Amino acid sequence: MDLTVHIGSLTLKNPLIAASGCFGYGVEYAGIVDLASLGGVAVKGLFLAEREGHPPPRIVETPAGMLNAIGLQGIGVHRFVDEKLPELRARRATVIVNICGTTIDEYVELARILSDAEGVAALELNISCPNIKEGGITFGCSLTGTFDVVSAVRKVTRLPVIPKLTPNVTDVASFARAAEDAGADAVSLVNTFLAMVIDVETRRPKLSNIVGGLSGPAIRPIAVRMVYECRQMVKIPILGMGGIAEARDAIEFMIAGAAAVQVGTASFVDPFIWPKLIDGISQYMQRHHIERVSDLIGTIDTRTRDKQWISS
Amino acid sequence: MDLTVHIGSLTLKNPLIAASGCFGYGVEYAGIVDLASLGGVAVKGLFLAEREGHPPPRIVETPAGMLNAIGLQGIGVHRFVDEKLPELRARRATVIVNICGTTIDEYVELARILSDAEGVAALELNISCPNIKEGGITFGCSLTGTFDVVSAVRKVTRLPVIPKLTPNVTDVASFARAAEDAGADAVSLVNTFLAMVIDVETRRPKLSNIVGGLSGPAIRPIAVRMVYECRQMVKIPILGMGGIAEARDAIEFMIAGAAAVQVGTASFVDPFIWPKLIDGISQYMQRHHIERVSDLIGTIDTRTRDKQWISS
Amino acid sequence: MPIDVVADVMANRRLSSDYNVLALAAPAIAAAASPGQFVMIRPGRSHDPLLRRPFSVFEVLRDQHGAPTGISLLNKRVGVSTGLIYTAQAGERVDCLGPLGRPFSLVDPPAQAWMVAGGVGLAPFAALAEALCGRGTTAVLFYGARTAAELFYLDVFRALGVELVLTTEDGSLGEHGRIVAPLERRLSSQRTDRPVMVYACGPEGMLAATARTAARHGRACQISVERIMGCGLGGCYSCVVPMRSDDGRFHYVRSCIEGPVLAGDQIQWD
Amino acid sequence: MPIDVVADVMANRRLSSDYNVLALAAPAIAAAASPGQFVMIRPGRSHDPLLRRPFSVFEVLRDQHGAPTGISLLNKRVGVSTGLIYTAQAGERVDCLGPLGRPFSLVDPPAQAWMVAGGVGLAPFAALAEALCGRGTTAVLFYGARTAAELFYLDVFRALGVELVLTTEDGSLGEHGRIVAPLERRLSSQRTDRPVMVYACGPEGMLAATARTAARHGRACQISVERIMGCGLGGCYSCVVPMRSDDGRFHYVRSCIEGPVLAGDQIQWD
Ligand SMILES: Cc1cc2nc3c(=O)[nH]c(=O)nc-3n(C[C@H](O)[C@H](O)[C@H](O)COP(=O)(O)OP(=O)(O)OC[C@H]3O[C@@H](n4cnc5c(N)ncnc54)[C@H](O)[C@@H]3O)c2cc1C
Ligand SMILES: Cc1cc2nc3c(=O)[nH]c(=O)nc-3n(C[C@H](O)[C@H](O)[C@H](O)COP(=O)(O)OP(=O)(O)OC[C@H]3O[C@@H](n4cnc5c(N)ncnc54)[C@H](O)[C@@H]3O)c2cc1C
Ligand SMILES: Cc1cc2nc3c(=O)[nH]c(=O)nc-3n(C[C@H](O)[C@H](O)[C@H](O)COP(=O)(O)O)c2cc1C
Ligand SMILES: Cc1cc2nc3c(=O)[nH]c(=O)nc-3n(C[C@H](O)[C@H](O)[C@H](O)COP(=O)(O)O)c2cc1C
Ligand code: FES
Ligand code: FES
């Protein structure tokens, strides 16, 4: 059985990637998961500089989901390269670095630094963090902004460039197209949905940042639809995510058009989820006589049925 | 205690409205709910003509939500006026008619017919049904389309005109503004989120229509955020909805900025929900010494706290 | 009018690794229910699972004086909610709304009642058989399942005086094959001046075949359909079944309020 | 390394209408846990509630030979998951991940250990008291609650030889008022050459007051903080606590991996 998938020039040993911001810098999980067994590890969004992020409360649970407004607390790219990358390298993780900037120059600078560092497999451009104004969302909500930041980064790196798209737009597929046109190797989607919860007793938002990003199973059907739409618009691979909690969900994203998937919130609930997902996918492939997992990608069958009846 | 709220020239006896498409034509529920006890009854979306809608399966459950692609099966406006309106009138329901069209002329024609009919309290313009191409969504996703259809209807009716907005846009508040500029008396939001579920065993979409609209508690935090955003952009009242399942949720929408709320999916789960919601709101008002429910509207307190600590 | 009760689980009897019978304390629903009606069940209080699920009223339970105390459900575990119902323990509480929908119409002697059940499609027939036998109507149960271990409650039907015709797909009990075969043979051999009402509930393929067979033999047929139901009350239009229209086309009716029992010859099978 | 077990509920003892003690079969976690560590609990399997919830290890349960068999949790019902834990029945299963976080550091005689607990903040102190008393350390428990009926396990602490100082907000038992008052008095009267380690867990206001009081008296203080935790493993950065930086500002640390026990004088209380 062949679980490898290809993202541009990069080969992942399986389609399962730990989603950015949901797996620390990866090293936190080294005792729980064999990092080398994952298709990839997308580390927490990095700016050039260190950041403290938003005051707590930073998360709140919602029906089948959660909001977060961490505010991209982080150690900055230099400390990441010095303090975390060596261990990730030693553990043979396939490291995808999620980068955030306020200006195109910052993305370019981050890309340069990380291209020179040893052990970075790909760059995921976070142009979709809904929680901070300066987190690239202005790029992510504008087609030319998306195009410009991707092209600029494209010029300075040979690493696969993977812009991460926001779902908070009317037509996500047009953003995937802009990214493709600008030379992206793949696109990641979705980041979180802008949302809020109000404590009715105090009439105050439950998050210090007022709004936050919704993730988890609640958003899965919207995310699957978006992957499906993008699949029809672009040829580059799609890294699909949003509420994946079981092997079945990962397979659903692949059938909708994702070449690989990321798992965030569900790994909070079950940090030991990874081998379970791999097992579940393998069992499915066996049951359906699928030799290569990549044969699943985009194989949704949308023939309309005249049939009125569910079973028969 | 005063539960009345005002939507343009219309006074509702309380802020609770049965959401369109989730309460049939109202008459189906006459044996379960005293229709006159509701703030309003938004009946199922009506076209000029009868429609059969989409083949089943038409709904599928998702985590804390459901997708529907009913396809606006309906009896058409004439049969509605002849067969349903008399009973609604007799039961003294405050009837909000949800209308759908393919062209501006159809909305205008529907508005004319319903303005002449006795017992219609307001028109809700469905320009946001995600499940059928001809259901006004082309208006709902374009600012000029929204403006044009609202102004056209505005000219031919004295009934309150309430466009219902789609959440599937980048900036819902700008649509609320377009509606206000065109003379709308209020806006309803949100309609459902475009979404899909794939059966991984068959690789076919679970809905015959491939995509459907996500409703239910899953979407609530996104909907609350949208109401909050619109509140800052427009002065006209907002009818808020999306996943309301308890009195607390209804209050949350009002604090975010809704003048009234609609309840859809939750009334499937609990058709006897209405008196419970009214009780819950009344108890909350008592506990917080609030005399008029309308004093809650938009009272969210967003002062930033420097406080790092939750309680103290 | 339907009522909604928070019903105590009185007992949960496992019939197999997939089937169980759940007894719910719901006297008012039990008193009002007619054979063929259903209830909408919610086995938990969280938003996942969210919607209620439809279940036929299997038995009306009574105390020693014959007063209704509750209902039972014949449950087949196929997903989330049926899984919760399978594992429910006595003392748990379950939201139960009903009775809902149009029941079977009963026939009196000399008409015979032939019930056709596939798998969990047995559910509405315990109550129906009791009602029919109570009025002296001769009843036959054509009952097919995958295997012998999934043919349940045979003694109960026998005790009521119901004749049993059984099939299993693996041949482990009764005739080997599907249930429509013996039904077809029996319809062919039945004298046309002897009135028969066919009742059917089960997988859709079986229902279509039954309806066609009955029609071919000129027999009326009441079909209990199973559609995905959002509300059970006519509010959502999710549960529609296509019915033949006079113009040769079809129109959708809501099976929760116009059914679940529908005339087999009026359903648009395709 | 933490492990994740599907733990059987061995017993559920209700202490009041809001508090209970849940015993979970989890020998490996029990064997590995140190006082002050916590577990992440998931009482259901649906997506609502979604995330696990953090709970202190209350007691390490042992069989008659002293071998660890499981742990218990002291639970206070405040919302969805704590509600499920309150109503959990023996035989149910609960996902339990742990042990997690940095434990208390213990002190040896002649140092005394003063534990300050507010409400459910008692949770980490049963295990801590056992460990301290085991090494002969003199222990005092300052324990405040709303009312006498919410002061639990007093006998257990007494049996260990722990001195109890109690307060209730309604004056129904012990001193009337908050627990920081007697702590403050005792700190004032304690000779400075007698070493004392203050341990505290409870509402944030109480923690801040305890930390300040301890600092004012020059006593070291270990605070077990309670933050909303998404993962418990350092993955999500939800659980941060502001700690003083050398430059007079603060930086956030993740209380799940750098805590939950943190040095009181280094936390930025504001
Ligand atoms: C009028 C009526 C009476 C019924 N009586 C019984 C009965 O007595 N005993 C019994 O075991 N079952 C009965 N069913 C079927 C039962 O409602 C479904 O098996 C149940 O809803 C599945 O819920 P789930 O959460 O376990 O499955 P899910 O996890 O939601 O889905 C599993 C599978 O079940 C199908 N399904 C989901 N919801 C429904 C639904 N509402 N109706 C039909 N299929 C569905 C899905 O398409 C999917 O293939 C009846 C259905 C109807 C319409
Ligand atoms: C290290 C640690 C140890 C703890 N030990 C115990 C213990 O031994 N016994 C005990 O009863 N409680 C303990 N708590 C608190 C307990 O985790 C929360 O009460 C619980 O998470 C609330 O879950 P819920 O679903 O019932 O509440 P929800 O319905 O989610 O929310 C109800 C209220 O609880 C608050 N809350 C939600 N999640 C948390 C959280 N993770 N931490 C703190 N507050 C939260 C919310 O802000 C809200 O005000 C501990 C917390 C931490 C961080
Ligand atoms: C706590 C938290 C922090 C996140 N931080 C980041 C981040 O730094 N960069 C980023 O691109 N996405 C971030 N995300 C978004 C996730 O990577 C992912 O896109 C989203 O959560 C949807 O997937 P899920 O439903 O599996 O969690 C974060 C999500 C969560 C829940
Ligand atoms: C089955 C179903 C049918 C619906 N039909 C309509 C409709 O005809 N017109 C309309 O404007 N909205 C329709 N809606 C959207 C609801 O009115 C409402 O906007 C949405 O469901 C969100 O609210 P809820 O989460 O309370 O259900 C429908 C929703 C559902 C679930
Ligand atoms: S189930 Fe809602 S209309 Fe039939
Ligand atoms: S709880 Fe996730 S980092 Fe601490």
Side-chain angles (χ1 to χ4, degrees):
Chain A
M1 207 166 332
D2 178 3
L3 287 174
T4 60
V5 295
H6 301 275
I7 307 295
S9 57
L10 186 66
T11 302
L12 305 182
K13 66 173 71 67
N14 63 55
L16 298 170
I17 300 166
S20 178
C22 303
F23 207 66
Y25 296 107
V27 296
E28 291 88 342
Y29 285 82
I32 288 183
V33 197
D34 171 11
L35 299 182
S37 73
L38 299 187
V41 172
V43 296
K44 198 168 160 43
L46 282 173
F47 276 85
L48 278 173
E50 294 189 35
R51 291 172 59 89
E52 283 308 327
H54 296 313
R58 290 178 166 186
I59 64 169
V60 57
E61 185 162 319
T62 67
M66 64 177 280
L67 304 194
N68 87 81
I70 306 298
L72 289 166
Q73 175 175 354
I75 57 175
V77 71
H78 298 290
R79 281 185 58 198
F80 171 74
V81 170
D82 294 345
E83 298 171 22
K84 308 293 176 187
L85 205 47
E87 180 174 348
L88 290 168
R89 216 161 46 215
R91 295 188 182 274
R92 298 199 290 133
T94 301
V95 179
I96 300 171
V97 183
N98 184 275
I99 60 175
C100 321
T102 315
T103 62
I104 292 190
D105 288 347
E106 277 178 46
Y107 283 98
V108 166
E109 178 69 8
L110 280 158
R112 279 220 179 86
I113 295 167
L114 290 161
S115 304
D116 290 342
E118 200 188 327
V120 176
L123 299 178
E124 186 173 58
L125 312 194
N126 185 350
I127 52 172
S128 45
C129 177
N131 304 325
I132 60 167
K133 283 179 220 78
E134 64 280 26
I137 190 71
T138 39
F139 300 111
C141 283
S142 135
L143 289 172
T144 53
T146 299
F147 183 91
D148 292 346
V149 70
V150 175
S151 344
V153 170
R154 173 74 296 161
K155 290 200 187 85
V156 301
T157 186
R158 300 184 128 188
L159 292 174
V161 173
I162 312 172
K164 182 159 173 184
L165 306 181
T166 174
N168 300 299
V169 295
T170 311
D171 180 17
V172 69
S174 62
F175 286 83
R177 170 65 72 81
E180 181 176 53
D181 290 346
D185 296 276
V187 285
S188 285
L189 57 121
V190 298
N191 210 317
T192 53
F193 288 77
L194 196 61
M196 75 189 290
V197 175
I198 303 167
D199 182 331
V200 300
E201 299 302 323
T202 62
R203 301 198 209 170
R204 307 197 72 147
K206 285 234 182 182
L207 296 176
S208 76
N209 188 51
I210 304 175
V211 294
L214 179 63
S215 63
I219 67 170
R220 191 169 62 231
I222 317 181
V224 170
R225 183 265 298 178
M226 289 184 169
V227 167
Y228 168 70
E229 283 178 357
C230 288
R231 175 71 291 156
Q232 291 162 352
M233 190 67 114
V234 299
K235 295 215 168 51
I236 51 175
I238 296 167
L239 282 62
M241 78 199 82
I244 294 174
E246 292 181 35
R248 185 172 59 183
D249 307 332
I251 295 163
E252 185 181 4
F253 272 88
M254 294 191 74
I255 292 171
V261 298
Q262 300 194 19
V263 179
T265 305
S267 81
F268 298 155
V269 181
D270 182 3
F272 294 94
I273 197 172
W274 306 100
K276 297 174 196 167
L277 292 175
I278 293 176
D279 280 3
I281 293 174
S282 306
Q283 279 165 28
Y284 174 90
M285 288 170 66
Q286 236 153 26
R287 195 164 71 245
H288 289 270
H289 311 291
I290 294 164
E291 191 41 49
R292 289 184 308 244
V293 78
S294 59
D295 287 343
L296 277 174
I297 304 167
T299 55
I300 181 172
D301 174 1
T302 55
R303 280 172 297 167
T304 43
R305 10 183 180 188
D306 306 317
K307 248 185 12 107
Q308 299 287 345
W309 300 92
I310 310 168
S311 58
S312 77
Chain B
M1 208 169 326
D2 178 3
L3 287 174
T4 60
V5 295
H6 300 277
I7 308 295
S9 57
L10 186 65
T11 301
L12 306 182
K13 67 172 70 67
N14 63 56
L16 298 170
I17 300 167
S20 178
C22 304
F23 207 65
Y25 296 108
V27 296
E28 291 88 342
Y29 285 82
I32 289 183
V33 197
D34 171 11
L35 299 183
S37 73
L38 300 186
V41 172
V43 296
K44 200 169 157 44
L46 282 173
F47 276 85
L48 278 172
E50 294 189 37
R51 292 173 58 91
E52 283 307 327
H54 296 313
R58 289 178 168 187
I59 64 168
V60 57
E61 185 162 319
T62 67
M66 64 176 281
L67 304 194
N68 87 81
I70 307 298
L72 289 167
Q73 174 175 354
I75 57 174
V77 72
H78 298 291
R79 281 185 58 198
F80 171 74
V81 170
D82 294 346
E83 298 171 22
K84 309 292 175 187
L85 206 47
E87 181 174 346
L88 291 168
R89 216 161 45 216
R91 295 188 182 274
R92 298 198 290 132
T94 301
V95 179
I96 299 171
V97 183
N98 183 274
I99 60 175
C100 320
T102 315
T103 61
I104 292 190
D105 287 348
E106 279 177 45
Y107 283 97
V108 166
E109 177 70 7
L110 280 157
R112 280 220 178 86
I113 296 169
L114 290 161
S115 305
D116 291 343
E118 200 189 327
V120 175
L123 299 178
E124 186 173 57
L125 312 193
N126 185 350
I127 52 172
S128 46
C129 177
N131 303 324
I132 60 167
K133 284 178 219 79
E134 64 281 28
I137 190 71
T138 38
F139 300 111
C141 283
S142 137
L143 289 172
T144 54
T146 300
F147 183 90
D148 292 346
V149 70
V150 174
S151 347
V153 171
R154 174 73 295 160
K155 291 200 186 86
V156 300
T157 187
R158 300 184 130 185
L159 292 174
V161 173
I162 311 172
K164 182 160 172 182
L165 306 181
T166 175
N168 300 298
V169 293
T170 311
D171 181 16
V172 69
S174 62
F175 287 82
R177 170 65 72 83
E180 181 176 54
D181 291 346
D185 297 277
V187 285
S188 284
L189 57 122
V190 299
N191 210 316
T192 53
F193 288 77
L194 195 62
M196 75 189 291
V197 175
I198 302 168
D199 182 333
V200 300
E201 300 302 322
T202 61
R203 301 199 209 170
R204 306 198 73 146
K206 285 236 182 180
L207 296 176
S208 76
N209 187 52
I210 303 176
V211 293
L214 179 63
S215 63
I219 66 170
R220 190 170 62 230
I222 317 181
V224 169
R225 184 265 297 177
M226 289 183 169
V227 167
Y228 169 69
E229 282 178 357
C230 288
R231 176 71 293 155
Q232 290 161 353
M233 190 69 114
V234 300
K235 294 214 168 52
I236 50 175
I238 296 166
L239 282 63
M241 79 199 82
I244 295 173
E246 292 180 36
R248 183 173 58 183
D249 308 333
I251 295 162
E252 185 180 4
F253 271 89
M254 293 190 73
I255 292 171
V261 298
Q262 300 194 19
V263 179
T265 304
S267 81
F268 298 155
V269 180
D270 182 3
F272 294 94
I273 196 172
W274 307 100
K276 297 175 196 168
L277 292 176
I278 293 176
D279 279 3
I281 293 173
S282 307
Q283 279 164 28
Y284 174 89
M285 288 169 65
Q286 235 151 29
R287 196 163 70 243
H288 289 270
H289 311 291
I290 294 163
E291 191 42 48
R292 288 185 309 244
V293 78
S294 58
D295 287 344
L296 277 173
I297 303 168
T299 54
I300 180 170
D301 174 1
T302 55
R303 280 171 297 164
T304 44
R305 7 181 183 192
D306 307 315
K307 243 177 28 99
Q308 300 287 345
W309 300 93
I310 310 169
S311 57
S312 76
Chain C
M1 278 306 110
I3 56 165
D4 188 22
V5 301
V6 185
D8 272 327
V9 172
M10 299 195 290
N12 180 359
R13 198 174 136 215
R14 301 266 162 90
L15 303 178
S16 75
S17 60
D18 286 324
Y19 283 86
N20 68 311
V21 173
L22 195 75
L24 297 175
I29 293 177
S34 301
Q37 286 192 298
F38 67 100
V39 289
M40 292 291 285
I41 296 288
R42 188 186 181 199
R45 278 291 167 85
S46 92
H47 292 312
D48 179 34
L50 180 67
L51 299 169
R52 294 182 189 235
R53 303 288 195 267
F55 288 85
S56 298
V57 173
F58 180 47
E59 300 157 299
V60 169
L61 309 172
R62 300 176 188 280
D63 65 15
Q64 65 269 43
H65 312 293
T69 57
I71 59 170
S72 76
L73 313 176
L74 175 67
N75 175 62
K76 180 182 180 186
R77 167 153 74 166
V78 299
V80 191
S81 290
T82 50
L84 291 171
I85 291 171
Y86 185 80
T87 54
Q89 296 178 13
E92 278 182 41
R93 281 150 172 243
V94 161
D95 289 327
C96 179
L97 170 73
L100 299 168
R102 294 214 180 139
F104 291 117
S105 39
L106 305 183
V107 289
D108 291 301
Q112 295 193 8
W114 294 5
M115 300 173 282
V116 190
V120 73
L122 181 72
F125 292 133
L128 179 63
E130 199 184 337
L132 289 167
C133 296
R135 39 174 84 200
T137 306
T138 301
V140 185
L141 175 66
F142 296 81
Y143 180 16
R146 276 186 306 167
T147 183
E150 292 188 351
L151 287 167
F152 307 111
Y153 272 61
L154 303 182
D155 290 348
V156 171
F157 284 94
R158 278 199 200 100
L160 286 168
V162 177
E163 178 192 341
L164 295 182
V165 179
L166 305 176
T167 63
T168 51
E169 287 174 34
D170 65 0
S172 52
L173 187 68
E175 183 174 322
H176 190 159
R178 302 278 175 102
I179 195 63
V180 183
L183 171 71
E184 167 85 55
R185 287 201 309 276
R186 185 83 162 249
L187 281 169
S188 306
S189 63
Q190 176 84 348
R191 279 178 42 189
T192 48
D193 58 349
R194 293 261 180 83
V196 170
M197 175 63 79
V198 176
Y199 299 92
C201 185
E204 287 170 355
M206 185 208 95
L207 295 181
T210 303
R212 290 204 184 95
T213 306
R216 214 165 32 243
H217 292 90
R219 303 299 188 172
C221 170
Q222 299 181 37
I223 300 272
S224 177
V225 297
E226 280 193 15
R227 312 254 74 185
I228 296 180
M229 288 184 175
C231 69
L233 292 166
C236 72
Y237 282 72
S238 65
C239 60
V240 294
V241 169
M243 303 294 277
R244 296 185 210 290
S245 301
D246 297 337
D247 57 4
R249 307 172 69 185
F250 70 86
H251 61 281
Y252 286 121
V253 305
R254 286 166 285 180
S255 63
C256 63
I257 53 175
E258 308 211 17
V261 177
L262 293 166
D265 60 347
Q266 281 166 41
I267 297 175
Q268 171 83 36
W269 305 101
D270 54 8
Chain D
M1 279 306 110
I3 56 165
D4 188 22
V5 300
V6 185
D8 272 327
V9 172
M10 299 194 289
N12 181 358
R13 200 176 134 214
R14 301 265 162 90
L15 303 179
S16 75
S17 60
D18 285 323
Y19 283 85
N20 68 312
V21 173
L22 195 75
L24 297 175
I29 293 177
S34 302
Q37 287 192 298
F38 67 99
V39 289
M40 292 291 285
I41 295 288
R42 187 186 182 202
R45 278 293 166 85
S46 92
H47 292 312
D48 179 34
L50 180 67
L51 299 170
R52 295 183 189 235
R53 301 289 193 271
F55 288 86
S56 298
V57 174
F58 180 48
E59 299 157 299
V60 169
L61 308 172
R62 301 176 185 280
D63 65 15
Q64 65 269 44
H65 311 295
T69 57
I71 59 170
S72 75
L73 313 177
L74 175 66
N75 176 61
K76 179 181 180 188
R77 168 153 74 164
V78 299
V80 191
S81 290
T82 50
L84 291 170
I85 291 171
Y86 185 80
T87 54
Q89 295 178 14
E92 277 182 40
R93 281 150 171 242
V94 161
D95 290 328
C96 178
L97 170 72
L100 299 169
R102 294 213 181 138
F104 290 116
S105 36
L106 305 183
V107 289
D108 291 301
Q112 294 192 9
W114 294 6
M115 300 174 283
V116 190
V120 72
L122 181 72
F125 292 133
L128 179 63
E130 199 184 336
L132 289 167
C133 296
R135 38 174 83 200
T137 306
T138 302
V140 184
L141 175 66
F142 296 80
Y143 180 17
R146 275 185 307 166
T147 184
E150 293 187 351
L151 287 167
F152 308 111
Y153 271 63
L154 303 182
D155 291 349
V156 171
F157 285 95
R158 278 199 198 100
L160 286 168
V162 177
E163 179 193 342
L164 296 182
V165 179
L166 305 176
T167 63
T168 50
E169 287 174 35
D170 64 0
S172 52
L173 189 68
E175 182 174 323
H176 190 158
R178 302 280 174 101
I179 196 63
V180 183
L183 172 70
E184 167 85 56
R185 286 200 309 274
R186 184 83 162 249
L187 281 168
S188 307
S189 63
Q190 176 84 351
R191 280 179 41 189
T192 48
D193 58 349
R194 293 262 179 83
V196 170
M197 175 64 79
V198 177
Y199 299 92
C201 185
E204 287 171 355
M206 185 208 95
L207 296 181
T210 303
R212 289 203 186 97
T213 306
R216 215 168 28 244
H217 292 90
R219 302 300 188 172
C221 171
Q222 300 180 36
I223 300 272
S224 178
V225 297
E226 280 193 16
R227 312 255 73 185
I228 296 179
M229 290 185 173
C231 69
L233 292 167
C236 72
Y237 282 72
S238 65
C239 59
V240 293
V241 169
M243 303 293 278
R244 297 186 208 289
S245 300
D246 298 338
D247 58 4
R249 307 172 69 184
F250 70 86
H251 62 282
Y252 286 121
V253 305
R254 286 165 285 180
S255 63
C256 63
I257 53 175
E258 307 211 16
V261 177
L262 294 166
D265 60 346
Q266 281 165 41
I267 297 175
Q268 170 84 37
W269 304 100
D270 55 5

